[in-house]
Amino acid sequence: MRYITGGIALGSALILGSLVGAGTSATAAPAPAPAAQQSLYAPSALVLTVAQGDSSTNSGVQRAVTLTCMPKASGTHPDARGACNELRAVGGKFEDITKVKAGTACTKEWNPYVVTAEGVWEGQRVKFEHVFGNTCELKAGKGLVFEF
């Protein structure tokens, strides 16, 4: 019985010693990676395209850019700040941007161009498509957002 009790005591001492020693080990576990920085603003990042054709599914994209408006205006858009300001002014309603200005005189030829916007605007998913009848209508109604 004396040997069994001694064996249990020795085993307990070894286990406790290894637990205490682990806390003071020279090789501490690596610190967890810092959490991703949270923004106070909803994200706004879009991919904008201009293509020749009557819909985005069957037309060849001629130009495409990225536009990020939060936390600051950036992306491959040539006037990111102006495009972001224009979108904010209309509350992100692309329909208001792509209206052909009243009094614009364009021919009635059918040579369609389609513009698209896809991504996130102020935290909401966006998928927008608008077809212009020809290049005259495109120039008159694309605004700064699709000016690239």
Side-chain angles (χ1 to χ4, degrees):
M1 179 84 167
R2 193 162 97 199
Y3 296 111
I4 294 174
T5 322
I8 292 174
L10 179 61
S12 298
L14 289 173
I15 291 172
L16 286 174
S18 67
L19 290 176
V20 171
T24 60
S25 174
T27 57
Q37 240 180 355
Q38 295 287 330
S39 174
L40 297 176
Y41 303 100
S44 293
L46 302 163
V47 175
L48 308 170
T49 65
V50 174
Q52 188 169 13
D54 59 357
S55 75
S56 62
T57 57
N58 63 1
S59 59
V61 174
Q62 292 182 329
R63 297 180 299 279
V65 296
T66 59
L67 177 65
T68 302
C69 294
M70 282 297 170
K72 65 176 187 169
S74 62
T76 59
H77 194 288
D79 186 6
R81 179 175 286 151
C84 289
N85 289 341
E86 185 175 58
L87 274 170
R88 280 189 201 101
V90 296
K93 295 178 184 168
F94 288 92
E95 300 83 17
D96 292 349
I97 293 170
T98 55
K99 288 182 182 175
V100 176
K101 294 162 189 65
T104 303
C106 290
T107 62
K108 298 293 181 187
E109 73 177 298
W110 182 246
N111 185 17
Y113 282 82
V114 61
V115 295
T116 65
E118 197 165 342
V120 179
W121 176 255
E122 294 184 347
Q124 301 295 315
R125 286 202 164 273
V126 172
K127 187 168 185 169
F128 173 78
E129 179 176 320
H130 182 78
V131 178
F132 293 101
N134 52 46
T135 56
C136 176
E137 289 181 9
L138 174 67
K139 288 177 184 175
K142 64 183 173 184
L144 285 176
V145 174
F146 294 102
E147 181 66 46
F148 53 87

